[in-house]
Amino acid sequence: MAPITQLSQLDPNGIYSYADYLTWQLEESVELIKGKIMAMSPAPNVKHQRIALKLLRPIDNYFLHKSCEIFIAPFDVKLYDRRKSLLKNGEAFSVVQPDLCVICDKDKLTEQGCDGAPDWIIEVLSPGNSRKEVRLKYDLYEESGVGEYWLVFPYEQILQQFVLDELGKYQLRGLYPGNEIAAPHLFPDLQIDLNDVFAE
């Protein structure tokens, strides 16, 4: 069978697994959400990259000499529905590349990336992100058991903080404007000055 090198060779209505994903040799970056192909936005713009980097610095410094570790995209994260039994390697149907993710369980790290839900995911939205994509990822992160999820809106200079409750549902824990200090629920002594994050 000829290698898959272009998106046009794939069925947009098909259902694909992580095993399929590993065989593709695409120039474009794609994610799989419940088996469906999601083409990623074009390369992030300068504003997006600046914000991601300014978030990375204090978080990376905070975790220096600690057991948790932060990773930046491109970095494959395989996700499973935690309400179902954990599937074998070739039977995962969701793989995403969050802008930033924090992983505290070293057993989840593989040569390819992360196998299972990170503790904390941060997504910096780009102009190309659709509402559908945002909703799909919110639902996926919630059902996969990502403990904390931050959505960063660069142009509005707002950060939304979602935290899983005891029923496994996200609750909006914080809505931070760009002139406040944001702190993750999971690591409350980590203080992030959003003035610095959103500064041009």
Side-chain angles (χ1 to χ4, degrees):
M1 181 183 287
I4 302 295
T5 57
Q6 296 184 29
L7 270 178
S8 59
Q9 294 174 264
L10 298 168
D11 179 359
N13 298 312
I15 300 293
Y16 296 96
S17 70
Y18 181 68
D20 297 321
Y21 171 92
L22 287 177
T23 67
W24 299 338
Q25 301 168 26
L26 301 172
E27 288 187 15
E28 309 99 315
S29 293
V30 298
E31 295 175 307
L32 274 185
I33 297 183
K34 298 183 181 180
K36 305 294 284 186
I37 301 167
M38 297 287 294
M40 295 180 69
S41 302
N45 62 27
V46 169
K47 183 184 284 286
H48 177 287
Q49 292 296 76
R50 278 188 182 137
I51 288 173
L53 185 59
K54 287 175 181 180
L55 284 165
L56 171 67
R57 286 176 184 144
I59 298 171
D60 189 42
N61 286 337
Y62 175 81
F63 287 119
L64 197 63
H65 309 305
K66 292 185 173 72
S67 59
C68 300
E69 205 170 346
I70 186 165
F71 295 89
I72 60 172
F75 179 77
D76 282 353
V77 173
K78 283 196 302 180
L79 296 173
Y80 305 87
D81 186 335
R82 62 200 158 93
R83 289 182 292 251
K84 299 175 183 173
S85 59
L86 193 65
L87 301 175
K88 292 292 186 183
N89 187 56
E91 296 175 320
F93 291 91
S94 293
V95 55
V96 293
Q97 294 190 7
D99 289 310
L100 301 164
C101 63
V102 171
I103 297 154
C104 298
D105 182 354
K106 302 290 188 191
D107 290 339
K108 291 183 178 179
L109 294 175
T110 68
E111 284 189 22
Q112 286 78 30
C114 179
D115 187 10
D119 297 84
W120 177 21
I121 281 179
I122 302 173
E123 294 279 16
V124 181
L125 297 188
S126 297
N129 292 116
S130 69
R131 289 182 183 178
K132 179 181 176 185
E133 181 183 357
V134 170
R135 184 73 221 184
L136 284 171
K137 282 195 172 179
Y138 175 98
D139 290 342
L140 179 66
Y141 294 164
E142 181 182 72
E143 77 175 29
S144 302
V146 176
E148 186 159 350
Y149 176 34
W150 283 15
L151 260 177
V152 182
F153 297 81
Y155 293 92
E156 295 83 355
Q157 296 196 356
I158 290 173
L159 185 152
Q160 290 181 337
Q161 175 192 41
F162 298 96
V163 177
L164 278 185
D165 64 16
E166 61 276 2
L167 300 176
K169 293 294 183 183
Y170 276 140
Q171 300 299 326
L172 181 62
R173 179 59 67 97
L175 184 62
Y176 298 95
N179 60 351
E180 290 193 359
I181 303 291
H185 173 73
L186 295 176
F187 313 101
D189 53 335
L190 168 55
Q191 305 284 301
I192 299 174
D193 188 342
L194 296 183
N195 275 304
D196 293 340
V197 170
F198 289 116
E200 292 294 331

